[in-house]
């Protein structure tokens, strides 16, 4: 599976956990279940960096656009991050070698919602 590299101008809302503007966590947010699986929305108003591992020191491979919904295949502990959905050390694996901070993903609850990554 190839990784498409995106060149994106940084915005004040582009984050992966350590910085960014405040999002409205109370905005209407829904989890989407389709024939291909469950997809979880990124916090409204944020463009979230996708990294090669569970922390902000890992390389950015792309940036998710506003309103993106993502699959979560497994989750892994890593760097602690504070976002609109709290503070967590969970990172969500959304594709082979691609992780986003769970604090920026609406899953409907705290803690693991998918198997732990190897």
């Amino acid at each position: 599976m190839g990784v498409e590299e995106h060149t994106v101008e940084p915005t004040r809302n582009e984050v992966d956990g350590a910085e960014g503007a405040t999002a409205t966590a109370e905005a209407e947010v829904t989890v989407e279940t389709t024939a291909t699986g469950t997809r979880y929305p990124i916090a409204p108003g944020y463009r979230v960096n996708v990294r090669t591992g569970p922390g902000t020191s890992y390389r950015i491979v792309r940036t998710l656009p506003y309103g993106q919904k993502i699959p979560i295949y497994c989750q892994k502990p890593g760097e602690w991050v504070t976002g609109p959905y709290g503070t967590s050390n969970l990172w969500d694996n959304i594709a082979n070698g691609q992780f986003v901070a769970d604090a920026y993903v609406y899953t409907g609850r705290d803690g693991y919602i998918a198997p732990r990554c190897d």
Side-chain angles (χ1 to χ4, degrees), residues 52-96:
T52 59
T56 58
S57 63
Y58 288 88
R59 183 175 61 85
I60 297 171
V61 294
R62 63 185 170 127
T63 301
L64 299 175
Y66 297 112
Q68 181 77 36
K69 290 187 178 180
I70 58 169
I72 299 175
Y73 298 111
C74 62
Q75 294 175 296
K76 182 175 205 164
E79 180 180 344
W80 285 90
V81 170
T82 298
Y85 300 120
T87 299
S88 175
N89 73 332
L90 285 183
W91 286 73
D92 304 330
N93 176 258
I94 64 170
N96 189 23

Side-chain angles (χ1 to χ4, degrees), residues 8-104:
V8 180
E9 288 294 316
T11 67
R12 66 183 187 87
N13 288 341
E14 186 175 299
V15 298
D16 51 27
E19 54 192 287
T22 303
T24 305
E26 296 94 33
E28 184 177 328
V29 183
T30 58
V31 173
E32 178 181 299
T33 303
T34 66
T36 59
T38 303
R39 298 179 73 81
Y40 301 89
I42 297 298
Y46 284 87
R47 299 182 66 201
V48 178
N49 291 326
V50 179
R51 296 188 174 266
T52 59
T56 58
S57 63
Y58 288 88
R59 183 175 61 85
I60 297 171
V61 294
R62 63 185 170 127
T63 301
L64 299 175
Y66 297 112
Q68 181 77 36
K69 290 187 178 180
I70 58 169
I72 299 175
Y73 298 111
C74 62
Q75 294 175 296
K76 182 175 205 164
E79 180 180 344
W80 285 90
V81 170
T82 298
Y85 300 120
T87 299
S88 175
N89 73 332
L90 285 183
W91 286 73
D92 304 330
N93 176 258
I94 64 170
N96 189 23
Q98 297 183 20
F99 292 85
V100 296
D102 190 66
Y104 286 87

